[in-house]
Each structure stands twice: as structure tokens, then as C-alpha cells.
Amino acid sequence: MSIISTSQLTKIYGSGPAAVTALDHVTLKIDPGEFVAIMGPSGCGKSTLLHLIGGLDKATEGVVAVDGHTLSDLDDNSLTELRRRKMGFVFQFYNLIPVLTALENAALPVTLDGVKPAEAQKKASEWLSRFGLGDRLSHRPDQLSGGQQQRVAIARALVAEPQLILADEPTGNLDTKASDEIAALLRRVSKEFGRAVVMVTHDPRIAAYADRIIFLKDGKIAEETILEKKK
Amino acid sequence: MSIRHALLGLLAQKPRHGYELRAAFQAVVGGSEAWDVKPAQIYTTLDRLEEAGLVERHSDLGEGSEPARRIYALTEAGRAALQEWFACAVDSQHQRDEFFVKLMVALFSGEARLELIIQTQRSHLYQEMHAMTTLRDSYHARTGMAQILLLDKAIMHLEADLRWMEITEMRIEAIKGQPFPEPEIRPRGRPRKGN
């Protein structure tokens, strides 16, 4: 079964003559463990697509299902719960909390979910160690490089053990070397840990790490390229 | 591209047999996946270098039952030619490009859609870039830096090609509207085809 499936997914902002169609009847499927890059010129609808999949925005038309749950069928509480358990989010500017340590930041989602702090921090430290940050647990974000902060953010996205990671321009704020490291890390998340990763990027070098690239243009899928055949 | 200078460089290091030169050359250029050179090419180049007086050939009497082998060494003139090469810059050669020619032929012949040609090429470049990225990340920085450097160069060029293609795609309509550069028509040349 697909981890994500959308059917005729459409998003229109505004109404009447001022209406803007951001996403125009997009139908796609993404498999568990697959690493997919979404590309396209700015304004093509790539962030809108990611937000609809993540339940951060509501579709005007069409449906999106994550792990078999149709998002529009869920009430707010169920949607929040689904987001917390099934998805992890990674953003361009990391969105870490400045006064918390790397460990506390990474543990935050499960702490909020009612898991005991000791247990939450154990999980968080496991992910941080896997990502080479075992010796940075008590550093605050401003004591870490951009690449390290993004690794903390990816650990945070994984701490609740979701099967899906949604990343919006995860390398948009990083230099070339750190960008490559983050892209390679997201590939590891997909291949070594079996999580589906959907990444919006405008950077060809970063997109080349994925298994498949979906190109959007004017809100529609314009092209699709398979980079690595399914095993 | 200069096989001859690479061979001169390898012989500057020490005299070598032909088959050994080929193996060393393959290693220097980043393996046979990067640039496959046939033995015949190596021997033809060595013959030319010998004629030009840049290398000299000796016979090495094989030990015991081994047959005699040719061994090549660098001459003083060869060393000077190598130094001359080091002193010169290398042309980038980006203006001689098969994909560009294909695009132009599609444009003036009307036999193919430019959008489709770009799409096919883009797909291919991304697949190449994925394969090279995977290969590069399989090398360790402590032992495979030469391979990493070469693959980085290839990846960066692919990146540039993809960006160029994006710009070209945006300019398709503009180029379609322009007259294709034709050579000067000779007095009794064939009549021009209508546009």
C-alpha cells in the first residue's frame, strides 16, 4: 500500500476573478521507504502540495490519504494525532527552539505527546547519535553549524518514529558541502531506516539524491523521472 | 584530449612496459568507466612519441622463460614536451556540444519537438547525476579522493547543464521566432525552403 496517495488534488486560493489555482488536479502515489524530490519553478505549487500532504492546509478539491487515512475525513484532533505519529517535518530554517539543547529539541515532539522525558530523551539521543551528533547533545542551536542544526531537526522529525518525512527546501539555507550532507542523510533515512521522504527542492544536485523526481509546472505534474528502479 | 602527455608523465615517474602503461593510465584518468582506452591506442601513441624522439624503447630480456618485452623511457625532449604542457592552460571545449546541435537540428528541420528533446535529455542527466552521486558517496575521503574529485567535477558540470536547460526551456518561444542563421547563398545555390 502507498504511504501517500492523492487523487485530483486541487488547491485554489481566493475566489472569483482573483482566484489563483496553486495545485491543479494532481494524482500521485508514493511508496513506503521511497525518496521523492518535488521540483519546479517558484509558484509551481510544490510547497502547496507538501502542505496538503502534511495536513497543514486543506484541499479545495480532491483527496489526499496518508497511510490509508483520508485527511479530509478526520476531525482536527485526529488530524493532529495523525500528523504527530505518522509524519515528521523538516523546514528550511530548522525551526529549533533557541533556549533548548539539541537533545531537548529533538525530544520535543514525543515529550508533547505525553511520553516521559527520560524515555523521550533516550529516543532522541539514539537518533542524534546515528546522525553523528552524539557529542553535541547539550549544545544549544546557536552553538551548532547550520548543517548540524538541520541534522537535529531531522532527528526531531524522526523521534516519534513516523513512516513519512516531509522536507521543505531542507538545504535552502546551507552551503554546498552541508547541503550534500543533508541530502545524503535524507537518503539514508529512506534507504537505511525505510522511511518515505518527500522533499521539495529547487536544487538539481540535491534532487539527484532521490529515487524519483516529480516536476510541477503551473500546479500540474509536468514530468516524472525515475532515478533508481525499485528493488 | 591528451593521452600522450599522460603517458609522458607516467614515463617521467619511471620507465614502464606498454601493458603496464595502459593500466597506470586507466588509474590516472579515473578508471575505465570514466575513460576506456584500448591497448591499440596506447601503442599507436607510443609509436608516435618514439618517432618524435620523446620516448625511447629498449628491449627487456624476460627472466627465464619469459619473452622479451619492450620497455619505454622518457627522453630529455620528452621531459621538455611534458613541461611545455604543464605551462599551458587547457581549453574547456564546452562550445562543441552534441545536445546543442541536436536542439538546433530539431529547430530548423521541424522533425522533432524541442520540449520533448529537452525533457528526454533532462531525465537522462538526472539519472547520470544520481548514478555519479551514488558512486562518489561510495568512496572514502581518505582513500578515494582522486575519484571523488573527478566525480565532483562531472556532477558540477551536470548541474550547470541542467540549469542551462531550464533557461533554454524558458527561451524556446524566443528562439522559434528567430530566423535560423543560414550560410551566404551562392549565386546558383539550391532555392531556399519556405519557412
Side-chain angles (χ1 to χ4, degrees), chain A residues 39 180 184 187 202-205 207-211 213 215 217 222-228, chain B residues 118-120 122-124 126-127 129-131 133-134 136-137 152 155-156 159 162-163 166 169:
Chain A
M39 296 194 80
D180 273 308
R187 180 150 188 91
H202 67 275
D203 187 337
R205 215 184 59 258
Y209 282 84
D211 298 319
I213 305 178
F215 296 90
K217 199 176 169 189
E223 257 174 82
E224 232 181 296
T225 295
I226 310 277
L227 304 183
E228 189 143 329
Chain B
I118 290 179
Q119 211 175 80
T120 304
R122 175 161 44 217
S123 246
H124 179 72
Y126 269 112
Q127 283 158 358
M129 189 143 79
H130 179 82
T133 302
T134 309
R136 182 197 59 193
D137 292 351
D152 266 342
I155 291 166
M156 285 176 191
E159 202 182 340
L162 284 161
R163 289 191 190 285
E166 256 172 57
E169 201 172 30

Side-chain angles (χ1 to χ4, degrees), chain A residues 160-192:
Chain A
E161 305 292 343
Q163 290 306 307
L164 172 62
I165 297 294
L166 301 174
D168 195 354
E169 297 281 6
T171 64
N173 199 39
L174 299 173
D175 63 30
T176 306
K177 186 167 173 283
S179 294
D180 273 308
E181 283 167 9
I182 291 301
L185 183 62
L186 289 172
R187 180 150 188 91
R188 236 182 103 200
V189 167
S190 154
K191 300 303 127 195
E192 187 179 332

Side-chain angles (χ1 to χ4, degrees), chain A:
Chain A
M1 190 180 65
S2 308
I3 184 85
I4 297 171
S5 77
T6 77
S7 173
Q8 305 293 321
L9 195 61
T10 301
K11 179 70 187 181
I12 300 168
Y13 291 106
S15 60
V20 176
T21 305
L23 210 60
D24 196 355
H25 298 90
V26 168
T27 298
L28 57 82
K29 283 190 184 340
I30 291 169
D31 285 336
E34 197 183 4
F35 185 9
V36 176
I38 300 174
M39 296 194 80
S42 41
C44 69
K46 49 191 196 293
S47 288
T48 304
L49 175 60
L50 203 71
H51 290 166
L52 290 176
I53 291 171
L56 301 169
D57 204 346
K58 282 187 172 19
T60 313
E61 227 186 289
V63 289
V64 48
V66 174
D67 204 16
H69 304 272
T70 302
L71 299 192
S72 53
D73 289 350
L74 303 174
D75 60 30
D76 281 354
N77 285 338
S78 318
L79 183 61
T80 305
E81 200 175 303
L82 182 90
R83 273 217 307 266
R84 210 177 266 171
R85 307 234 161 111
K86 305 269 184 194
M87 315 177 194
F89 295 87
V90 178
F91 307 93
Q92 179 175 354
F93 296 104
Y94 332 127
N95 296 12
L96 300 176
I97 295 176
V99 296
L100 299 185
T101 64
L103 184 63
E104 290 162 343
N105 265 293
L108 200 57
V110 282
T111 314
L112 294 176
D113 207 20
V115 174
K116 287 197 186 101
E119 206 179 312
Q121 295 201 350
K122 183 170 169 283
K123 284 223 78 89
S125 93
E126 281 168 13
W127 279 110
L128 289 167
S129 303
R130 284 173 194 140
F131 295 167
L133 292 170
D135 56 350
R136 297 283 189 279
L137 300 183
S138 52
H139 287 53
R140 276 181 286 107
D142 64 1
Q143 298 169 309
L144 298 170
S145 71
Q148 289 171 332
Q149 290 183 59
Q150 194 60 302
R151 278 189 270 161
V152 173
I154 296 171
R156 177 185 60 189
L158 283 160
V159 74
E161 305 292 343
Q163 290 306 307
L164 172 62
I165 297 294
L166 301 174
D168 195 354
E169 297 281 6
T171 64
N173 199 39
L174 299 173
D175 63 30
T176 306
K177 186 167 173 283
S179 294
D180 273 308
E181 283 167 9
I182 291 301
L185 183 62
L186 289 172
R187 180 150 188 91
R188 236 182 103 200
V189 167
S190 154
K191 300 303 127 195
E192 187 179 332
F193 301 107
R195 315 304 161 95
V197 178
V198 181
M199 168 180 73
V200 163
T201 182
H202 67 275
D203 187 337
R205 215 184 59 258
I206 297 308
Y209 282 84
D211 298 319
R212 173 159 63 120
I213 305 178
I214 295 173
F215 296 90
L216 291 182
K217 199 176 169 189
D218 301 326
K220 295 186 175 84
I221 295 180
E223 257 174 82
E224 232 181 296
T225 295
I226 310 277
L227 304 183
E228 189 143 329
K229 298 259 161 56
K230 280 172 206 165
K231 298 233 166 86

Side-chain angles (χ1 to χ4, degrees), chain B residues 11-63:
Chain B
L11 293 176
Q13 199 186 3
K14 61 175 187 193
R16 296 168 189 263
H17 300 291
Y19 70 90
E20 183 194 345
L21 262 175
R22 178 172 176 250
F25 178 83
Q26 277 309 179
V28 164
V29 299
S32 54
E33 313 85 37
W35 183 1
D36 189 27
V37 178
K38 302 276 173 284
Q41 262 177 292
I42 299 284
Y43 285 107
T44 316
T45 309
L46 283 171
D47 286 345
R48 288 209 198 106
L49 289 172
E50 196 186 354
E51 276 168 36
L54 302 183
V55 305
E56 54 194 10
R57 190 174 61 182
H58 307 285
S59 274
D60 178 19
L61 294 174
E63 284 173 33

Side-chain angles (χ1 to χ4, degrees), chain B residues 98-138:
Chain B
E98 180 174 345
F99 178 71
F100 179 78
V101 172
K102 190 186 274 190
L103 209 57
M104 290 303 113
V105 171
L107 180 69
F108 73 72
S109 71
E111 294 285 331
R113 278 184 55 216
L114 301 193
E115 291 83 353
L116 217 58
I117 286 182
I118 290 179
Q119 211 175 80
T120 304
Q121 184 69 9
R122 175 161 44 217
S123 246
H124 179 72
L125 292 185
Y126 269 112
Q127 283 158 358
E128 267 190 72
M129 189 143 79
H130 179 82
M132 285 184 188
T133 302
T134 309
L135 185 60
R136 182 197 59 193
D137 292 351
S138 73

